[in-house]
PDB file of all heavy atoms in Angstrom:
ATOM      1  N   PRO A 202     101.609  98.234  86.963  1.00 92.00           N
ATOM      2  CA  PRO A 202     102.328  99.384  86.662  1.00 92.00           C
ATOM      3  C   PRO A 202     103.372  98.944  85.674  1.00 92.00           C
ATOM      4  O   PRO A 202     103.850  98.027  85.677  1.00 92.00           O
ATOM      5  CB  PRO A 202     102.882  99.795  88.036  1.00 92.00           C
ATOM      6  CG  PRO A 202     102.116  99.388  89.047  1.00 92.00           C
ATOM      7  CD  PRO A 202     101.591  98.044  88.581  1.00 92.00           C
ATOM      8  N   MET A 244     110.262 106.121  87.103  1.00 98.00           N
ATOM      9  CA  MET A 244     109.973 104.920  86.285  1.00 98.00           C
ATOM     10  C   MET A 244     108.716 105.269  85.525  1.00 98.00           C
ATOM     11  O   MET A 244     107.935 106.247  86.062  1.00 98.00           O
ATOM     12  CB  MET A 244     109.772 103.643  87.034  1.00 98.00           C
ATOM     13  CG  MET A 244     108.668 103.755  88.121  1.00 98.00           C
ATOM     14  SD  MET A 244     108.275 102.235  88.780  1.00 98.00           S
ATOM     15  CE  MET A 244     107.183 101.451  87.485  1.00 98.00           C
ATOM     16  N   ASP A 246     105.373 104.646  84.959  1.00 97.00           N
ATOM     17  CA  ASP A 246     104.320 103.956  85.833  1.00 97.00           C
ATOM     18  C   ASP A 246     103.066 103.652  85.257  1.00 97.00           C
ATOM     19  O   ASP A 246     102.553 102.475  85.148  1.00 97.00           O
ATOM     20  CB  ASP A 246     104.072 104.756  87.060  1.00 97.00           C
ATOM     21  CG  ASP A 246     103.328 103.870  88.116  1.00 97.00           C
ATOM     22  OD1 ASP A 246     103.858 103.090  88.741  1.00 97.00           O
ATOM     23  OD2 ASP A 246     102.045 104.217  88.270  1.00 97.00           O
ATOM     24  N   ARG A 256     107.020 108.233  88.117  1.00 98.00           N
ATOM     25  CA  ARG A 256     106.929 107.899  89.448  1.00 98.00           C
ATOM     26  C   ARG A 256     108.402 107.684  90.045  1.00 98.00           C
ATOM     27  O   ARG A 256     109.107 106.866  89.574  1.00 98.00           O
ATOM     28  CB  ARG A 256     106.160 106.663  89.686  1.00 98.00           C
ATOM     29  CG  ARG A 256     105.973 106.379  91.284  1.00 98.00           C
ATOM     30  CD  ARG A 256     104.826 105.241  91.427  1.00 98.00           C
ATOM     31  NE  ARG A 256     104.417 105.199  92.791  1.00 98.00           N
ATOM     32  CZ  ARG A 256     103.183 104.680  93.105  1.00 98.00           C
ATOM     33  NH1 ARG A 256     102.382 104.240  92.218  1.00 98.00           N
ATOM     34  NH2 ARG A 256     102.807 104.616  94.425  1.00 98.00           N
ATOM     35  N   ALA A 257     108.648 108.469  91.059  1.00 98.00           N
ATOM     36  CA  ALA A 257     109.945 108.384  91.707  1.00 98.00           C
ATOM     37  C   ALA A 257     109.764 107.678  93.067  1.00 98.00           C
ATOM     38  O   ALA A 257     109.116 108.084  93.924  1.00 98.00           O
ATOM     39  CB  ALA A 257     110.458 109.752  91.958  1.00 98.00           C
ATOM     40  N   LYS A 258     110.268 106.375  93.191  1.00 97.00           N
ATOM     41  CA  LYS A 258     110.104 105.502  94.237  1.00 97.00           C
ATOM     42  C   LYS A 258     110.882 106.015  95.513  1.00 97.00           C
ATOM     43  O   LYS A 258     112.056 106.523  95.452  1.00 97.00           O
ATOM     44  CB  LYS A 258     110.711 104.192  93.955  1.00 97.00           C
ATOM     45  CG  LYS A 258     109.888 103.296  92.839  1.00 97.00           C
ATOM     46  CD  LYS A 258     108.619 102.841  93.479  1.00 97.00           C
ATOM     47  CE  LYS A 258     107.958 101.873  92.450  1.00 97.00           C
ATOM     48  NZ  LYS A 258     106.596 101.420  93.056  1.00 97.00           N
ATOM     49  N   GLU A 259     110.172 106.124  96.603  1.00 97.00           N
ATOM     50  CA  GLU A 259     110.734 106.557  97.959  1.00 97.00           C
ATOM     51  C   GLU A 259     111.291 107.969  97.889  1.00 97.00           C
ATOM     52  O   GLU A 259     112.303 108.262  98.624  1.00 97.00           O
ATOM     53  CB  GLU A 259     111.646 105.525  98.471  1.00 97.00           C
ATOM     54  CG  GLU A 259     111.004 104.158  98.693  1.00 97.00           C
ATOM     55  CD  GLU A 259     111.945 103.012  99.259  1.00 97.00           C
ATOM     56  OE1 GLU A 259     113.187 103.537  99.513  1.00 97.00           O
ATOM     57  OE2 GLU A 259     111.439 102.026  99.539  1.00 97.00           O
ATOM     58  N   TYR A 260     110.826 108.799  97.021  1.00 97.00           N
ATOM     59  CA  TYR A 260     111.326 110.155  96.879  1.00 97.00           C
ATOM     60  C   TYR A 260     111.189 110.978  98.043  1.00 97.00           C
ATOM     61  O   TYR A 260     111.965 111.593  98.584  1.00 97.00           O
ATOM     62  CB  TYR A 260     110.862 110.848  95.636  1.00 97.00           C
ATOM     63  CG  TYR A 260     111.357 112.305  95.557  1.00 97.00           C
ATOM     64  CD1 TYR A 260     112.601 112.539  95.084  1.00 97.00           C
ATOM     65  CD2 TYR A 260     110.490 113.494  95.840  1.00 97.00           C
ATOM     66  CE1 TYR A 260     113.087 113.904  94.962  1.00 97.00           C
ATOM     67  CE2 TYR A 260     110.957 114.636  95.703  1.00 97.00           C
ATOM     68  CZ  TYR A 260     112.304 115.041  95.296  1.00 97.00           C
ATOM     69  OH  TYR A 260     112.737 116.271  95.158  1.00 97.00           O
ATOM     70  N   VAL A 261     110.001 110.919  98.725  1.00 97.00           N
ATOM     71  CA  VAL A 261     109.572 111.593  99.988  1.00 97.00           C
ATOM     72  C   VAL A 261     110.204 110.984 101.165  1.00 97.00           C
ATOM     73  O   VAL A 261     110.730 111.545 102.065  1.00 97.00           O
ATOM     74  CB  VAL A 261     107.970 111.854  99.991  1.00 97.00           C
ATOM     75  CG1 VAL A 261     107.711 112.612 101.240  1.00 97.00           C
ATOM     76  CG2 VAL A 261     107.567 112.393  98.735  1.00 97.00           C
ATOM     77  N   SER A 262     109.818 109.713 101.316  1.00 97.00           N
ATOM     78  CA  SER A 262     110.314 108.931 102.410  1.00 97.00           C
ATOM     79  C   SER A 262     110.282 107.416 102.142  1.00 97.00           C
ATOM     80  O   SER A 262     109.957 106.986 100.925  1.00 97.00           O
ATOM     81  CB  SER A 262     109.342 109.213 103.619  1.00 97.00           C
ATOM     82  OG  SER A 262     108.120 108.688 103.375  1.00 97.00           O
ATOM     83  N   ARG A 263     110.546 106.476 102.974  1.00 96.00           N
ATOM     84  CA  ARG A 263     110.323 105.063 102.706  1.00 96.00           C
ATOM     85  C   ARG A 263     109.055 104.693 102.437  1.00 96.00           C
ATOM     86  O   ARG A 263     108.722 103.621 101.837  1.00 96.00           O
ATOM     87  CB  ARG A 263     110.985 104.286 103.902  1.00 96.00           C
ATOM     88  CG  ARG A 263     112.449 104.472 104.202  1.00 96.00           C
ATOM     89  CD  ARG A 263     112.946 103.666 105.308  1.00 96.00           C
ATOM     90  NE  ARG A 263     112.759 102.228 105.000  1.00 96.00           N
ATOM     91  CZ  ARG A 263     112.946 101.299 105.996  1.00 96.00           C
ATOM     92  NH1 ARG A 263     113.481 101.601 107.207  1.00 96.00           N
ATOM     93  NH2 ARG A 263     112.847  99.952 105.683  1.00 96.00           N
ATOM     94  N   ASP A 264     108.033 105.405 102.844  1.00 97.00           N
ATOM     95  CA  ASP A 264     106.635 105.220 102.642  1.00 97.00           C
ATOM     96  C   ASP A 264     105.869 106.012 101.619  1.00 97.00           C
ATOM     97  O   ASP A 264     104.737 105.803 101.317  1.00 97.00           O
ATOM     98  CB  ASP A 264     105.827 105.276 103.854  1.00 97.00           C
ATOM     99  CG  ASP A 264     106.414 104.297 104.997  1.00 97.00           C
ATOM    100  OD1 ASP A 264     106.726 103.160 104.697  1.00 97.00           O
ATOM    101  OD2 ASP A 264     106.506 104.788 106.184  1.00 97.00           O
ATOM    102  N   GLU A 265     106.563 106.976 101.059  1.00 97.00           N
ATOM    103  CA  GLU A 265     105.940 107.891 100.061  1.00 97.00           C
ATOM    104  C   GLU A 265     106.757 108.021  98.838  1.00 97.00           C
ATOM    105  O   GLU A 265     108.014 108.215  98.902  1.00 97.00           O
ATOM    106  CB  GLU A 265     105.788 109.244 100.665  1.00 97.00           C
ATOM    107  CG  GLU A 265     104.522 109.385 101.463  1.00 97.00           C
ATOM    108  CD  GLU A 265     104.140 110.679 101.900  1.00 97.00           C
ATOM    109  OE1 GLU A 265     104.771 111.349 102.586  1.00 97.00           O
ATOM    110  OE2 GLU A 265     103.207 111.267 101.272  1.00 97.00           O
ATOM    111  N   ASP A 266     106.170 107.880  97.639  1.00 98.00           N
ATOM    112  CA  ASP A 266     106.705 108.175  96.264  1.00 98.00           C
ATOM    113  C   ASP A 266     106.355 109.561  95.840  1.00 98.00           C
ATOM    114  O   ASP A 266     105.502 110.307  96.551  1.00 98.00           O
ATOM    115  CB  ASP A 266     106.277 107.226  95.244  1.00 98.00           C
ATOM    116  CG  ASP A 266     106.696 105.726  95.723  1.00 98.00           C
ATOM    117  OD1 ASP A 266     107.493 105.556  96.519  1.00 98.00           O
ATOM    118  OD2 ASP A 266     106.031 104.725  95.108  1.00 98.00           O
ATOM    119  N   ALA A 267     106.872 109.871  94.679  1.00 98.00           N
ATOM    120  CA  ALA A 267     106.296 111.240  94.040  1.00 98.00           C
ATOM    121  C   ALA A 267     106.010 110.967  92.681  1.00 98.00           C
ATOM    122  O   ALA A 267     106.643 110.045  92.014  1.00 98.00           O
ATOM    123  CB  ALA A 267     107.579 112.256  94.231  1.00 98.00           C
ATOM    124  N   ILE A 268     104.992 111.623  92.074  1.00 98.00           N
ATOM    125  CA  ILE A 268     104.758 111.434  90.741  1.00 98.00           C
ATOM    126  C   ILE A 268     104.550 112.758  89.972  1.00 98.00           C
ATOM    127  O   ILE A 268     104.460 113.785  90.557  1.00 98.00           O
ATOM    128  CB  ILE A 268     103.177 110.799  90.599  1.00 98.00           C
ATOM    129  CG1 ILE A 268     102.156 111.589  91.182  1.00 98.00           C
ATOM    130  CG2 ILE A 268     103.280 109.299  91.275  1.00 98.00           C
ATOM    131  CD1 ILE A 268     100.752 111.057  90.680  1.00 98.00           C
ATOM    132  N   ARG A 300     103.927 115.425  92.995  1.00 97.00           N
ATOM    133  CA  ARG A 300     102.860 115.221  93.864  1.00 97.00           C
ATOM    134  C   ARG A 300     103.242 113.933  94.732  1.00 97.00           C
ATOM    135  O   ARG A 300     103.574 112.905  94.022  1.00 97.00           O
ATOM    136  CB  ARG A 300     101.558 115.016  93.142  1.00 97.00           C
ATOM    137  CG  ARG A 300     100.420 114.816  93.971  1.00 97.00           C
ATOM    138  CD  ARG A 300      99.189 114.712  93.174  1.00 97.00           C
ATOM    139  NE  ARG A 300      97.891 114.713  94.056  1.00 97.00           N
ATOM    140  CZ  ARG A 300      96.665 114.755  93.533  1.00 97.00           C
ATOM    141  NH1 ARG A 300      96.510 114.980  92.321  1.00 97.00           N
ATOM    142  NH2 ARG A 300      95.691 114.733  94.374  1.00 97.00           N
ATOM    143  N   SER A 301     103.098 114.034  96.038  1.00 97.00           N
ATOM    144  CA  SER A 301     103.391 112.781  96.793  1.00 97.00           C
ATOM    145  C   SER A 301     102.271 111.814  96.932  1.00 97.00           C
ATOM    146  O   SER A 301     101.158 112.349  96.838  1.00 97.00           O
ATOM    147  CB  SER A 301     103.691 113.250  98.367  1.00 97.00           C
ATOM    148  OG  SER A 301     102.727 113.977  98.853  1.00 97.00           O
ATOM    149  N   VAL A 302     102.562 110.478  96.790  1.00 97.00           N
ATOM    150  CA  VAL A 302     101.573 109.526  96.857  1.00 97.00           C
ATOM    151  C   VAL A 302     102.085 108.393  97.763  1.00 97.00           C
ATOM    152  O   VAL A 302     103.324 108.294  97.869  1.00 97.00           O
ATOM    153  CB  VAL A 302     101.260 109.039  95.403  1.00 97.00           C
ATOM    154  CG1 VAL A 302     100.530 110.069  94.659  1.00 97.00           C
ATOM    155  CG2 VAL A 302     102.416 108.459  94.815  1.00 97.00           C
ATOM    156  N   SER A 303     101.249 107.723  98.400  1.00 97.00           N
ATOM    157  CA  SER A 303     101.712 106.591  99.207  1.00 97.00           C
ATOM    158  C   SER A 303     102.440 105.468  98.335  1.00 97.00           C
ATOM    159  O   SER A 303     101.954 105.271  97.225  1.00 97.00           O
ATOM    160  CB  SER A 303     100.458 105.919  99.936  1.00 97.00           C
ATOM    161  OG  SER A 303     100.862 104.735 100.582  1.00 97.00           O
ATOM    162  N   LYS A 304     103.463 104.915  98.817  1.00 95.00           N
ATOM    163  CA  LYS A 304     104.276 103.954  98.259  1.00 95.00           C
ATOM    164  C   LYS A 304     103.325 102.757  97.791  1.00 95.00           C
ATOM    165  O   LYS A 304     103.564 102.237  96.777  1.00 95.00           O
ATOM    166  CB  LYS A 304     105.350 103.476  99.047  1.00 95.00           C
ATOM    167  CG  LYS A 304     106.305 102.445  98.413  1.00 95.00           C
ATOM    168  CD  LYS A 304     107.409 101.978  99.344  1.00 95.00           C
ATOM    169  CE  LYS A 304     108.270 101.050  98.786  1.00 95.00           C
ATOM    170  NZ  LYS A 304     109.409 100.583  99.651  1.00 95.00           N
ATOM    171  N   SER A 305     102.360 102.310  98.625  1.00 91.00           N
ATOM    172  CA  SER A 305     101.613 101.094  98.440  1.00 91.00           C
ATOM    173  C   SER A 305     100.363 101.373  97.518  1.00 91.00           C
ATOM    174  O   SER A 305      99.830 100.429  97.220  1.00 91.00           O
ATOM    175  CB  SER A 305     101.150 100.617  99.801  1.00 91.00           C
ATOM    176  OG  SER A 305     100.336 101.540 100.537  1.00 91.00           O
ATOM    177  N   ARG A 306     100.198 102.521  97.141  1.00 91.00           N
ATOM    178  CA  ARG A 306      98.941 102.929  96.324  1.00 91.00           C
ATOM    179  C   ARG A 306      99.233 102.933  94.938  1.00 91.00           C
ATOM    180  O   ARG A 306     100.125 103.607  94.516  1.00 91.00           O
ATOM    181  CB  ARG A 306      98.287 104.278  96.893  1.00 91.00           C
ATOM    182  CG  ARG A 306      96.972 104.482  96.305  1.00 91.00           C
ATOM    183  CD  ARG A 306      96.382 105.750  96.848  1.00 91.00           C
ATOM    184  NE  ARG A 306      96.851 106.924  96.454  1.00 91.00           N
ATOM    185  CZ  ARG A 306      96.603 107.505  95.270  1.00 91.00           C
ATOM    186  NH1 ARG A 306      95.874 106.944  94.336  1.00 91.00           N
ATOM    187  NH2 ARG A 306      97.123 108.765  94.876  1.00 91.00           N
ATOM    188  N   PRO A 307      98.336 102.331  94.078  1.00 91.00           N
ATOM    189  CA  PRO A 307      98.472 102.479  92.570  1.00 91.00           C
ATOM    190  C   PRO A 307      97.974 103.876  92.257  1.00 91.00           C
ATOM    191  O   PRO A 307      97.249 104.563  92.905  1.00 91.00           O
ATOM    192  CB  PRO A 307      97.467 101.419  92.129  1.00 91.00           C
ATOM    193  CG  PRO A 307      96.419 101.115  93.177  1.00 91.00           C
ATOM    194  CD  PRO A 307      97.255 101.492  94.488  1.00 91.00           C
ATOM    195  N   VAL A 308      98.554 104.258  91.049  1.00 93.00           N
ATOM    196  CA  VAL A 308      98.158 105.699  90.615  1.00 93.00           C
ATOM    197  C   VAL A 308      97.023 105.453  89.663  1.00 93.00           C
ATOM    198  O   VAL A 308      96.911 104.592  88.724  1.00 93.00           O
ATOM    199  CB  VAL A 308      99.380 106.230  89.730  1.00 93.00           C
ATOM    200  CG1 VAL A 308      98.952 107.517  89.058  1.00 93.00           C
ATOM    201  CG2 VAL A 308     100.519 106.559  90.775  1.00 93.00           C
TER     202      VAL A 308
END
Side-chain angles (χ1 to χ4, degrees):
M244 61 171 285
D246 187 78
R256 186 166 192 157
K258 293 287 189 179
E259 299 183 359
Y260 176 75
V261 182
S262 68
R263 293 182 62 182
D264 300 317
E265 278 193 287
D266 298 343
I268 65 166
R300 180 176 187 171
S301 59
V302 295
S303 172
K304 179 181 178 180
S305 61
R306 188 173 75 78
V308 172

